[in-house]
Amino acid sequence: MVRRRPATGAAPRPHLAAVGRGLLLASVLAAAASSLPVAESSCPRDNSLVRDISRMQQRNYGREGFSHITVTGALAHGTKEVEVWLQTFGPGQRTPIHRHSCEEVFIVLKGKGTLLLGSSSLKYPGQPQEVPVFQNTTFSIPVNDPHQVWNSNEHEDLQVLVIISRPPVKIFIYDDWSMPHTAAKLKFPYFWDEDCLPAPKDEL
C-alpha cells in the first residue's frame, strides 16, 4: 500500500485557522484598549501623610456664598473615627436645619454668626436657642439635636473648622423648626460624599 504525502502549501485545518483569527482579534482589541484614555475618578482620594489645604478640592455644591473642603475624611482619606471640614459662609448664608447621630465640634476661625439650636426631646425641634459665635470660639452640637449655623454678619465671611465623629455623616434635613423629627428627610450620602459613595445605603 502506497501512502500519499500531503501536498505542500495545503490550507490549515478550519478550526486552527479560527483560533488564529481569534487570537489576532484579541490582540488588536487589547492594543486599542490600552490606547484609550482612562477615566479619572471624581472622588478626590489622597492618603498622603501631609496635604496642602490650598490644593484640596473646594466646592459650593450648588449653594451660593458657601464653600466646603473635606480636610480629612473617611471616604477620601480613609479615616475611621473622625472627619474634618473647612467651611466658609458668605454674609447671610446658613446651613439647612438638620440633625445627625454623631458628635460635632465647631471652631470659628474667622467672622461671627449665630448658632440656632433646637431640641431632640420634643416631637419637633421647637423654637431654637440663638447663640452668638465669633472668632476664636468653639461650640459642640449634642447628638441628634436639630441645629443651624448662620452667618448673621452682613459684612464678612464666617469660616469654621468642623470635626464630626462616625463618618461618613448621615444628615436628616428639616423644612422648618416645627417639622416633626420623624418627618425629617435623610440625605445620604451627603453632597460632598456623593462622588466617593454614589450608592445610597438602606441602614441608618
Side-chain angles (χ1 to χ4, degrees):
M1 179 177 179
V2 179
R3 296 182 180 179
R4 296 182 180 179
R5 294 182 179 178
T8 58
R13 295 179 182 179
H15 72 281
L16 293 179
V19 170
R21 288 195 298 271
L23 292 174
L24 177 61
L25 178 60
S27 63
V28 170
L29 291 175
S34 65
S35 65
L36 293 175
V38 177
E40 294 184 2
S41 171
S42 56
C43 178
R45 300 185 188 278
D46 183 358
N47 293 322
S48 305
L49 181 61
V50 178
R51 296 184 291 274
D52 185 345
I53 294 177
S54 66
R55 296 178 177 272
M56 291 182 177
Q57 184 182 59
Q58 176 176 307
R59 293 173 59 183
N60 66 5
Y61 300 94
R63 292 161 55 183
E64 185 177 354
F66 170 77
S67 74
H68 170 95
I69 298 174
T70 298
V71 177
T72 299
L75 301 176
H77 310 108
T79 58
K80 304 297 184 183
E81 304 296 334
V82 297
E83 190 159 290
V84 180
W85 308 330
L86 178 62
Q87 295 182 333
T88 305
F89 301 85
Q93 298 302 309
R94 61 180 75 199
T95 67
I97 304 168
H98 66 284
R99 65 176 166 87
H100 33 68
S101 57
C102 63
E103 296 176 309
E104 185 174 34
V105 178
F106 287 80
I107 301 170
V108 181
L109 303 178
K110 182 174 70 172
K112 53 186 176 181
T114 303
L115 165 66
L116 291 90
L117 185 64
S119 172
S120 59
S121 61
L122 304 174
K123 292 183 178 180
Y124 51 88
Q127 184 66 31
Q129 303 176 57
E130 296 190 16
V131 183
V133 299
F134 45 89
Q135 186 174 5
N136 291 331
T137 61
T138 180
F139 55 96
S140 303
I141 306 298
V143 173
N144 278 324
D145 273 10
H147 58 283
Q148 183 178 55
V149 176
W150 169 34
N151 182 1
S152 48
N153 189 305
E154 298 179 356
H155 305 292
E156 64 177 327
D157 290 345
L158 171 66
Q159 188 174 67
V160 294
L161 196 66
V162 187
I163 301 96
I164 66 159
S165 65
R166 301 175 59 191
V169 68
K170 299 176 182 179
I171 292 183
F172 290 83
I173 299 175
Y174 296 77
D175 294 336
D176 53 51
W177 295 101
S178 62
M179 187 176 195
H181 297 303
T182 54
K185 302 175 183 69
L186 173 63
K187 173 60 179 169
F188 179 76
Y190 206 60
F191 297 106
W192 42 80
D193 289 332
E194 286 180 331
D195 290 340
C196 298
L197 188 66
K201 304 293 184 181
D202 293 333
E203 74 275 10
L204 301 182

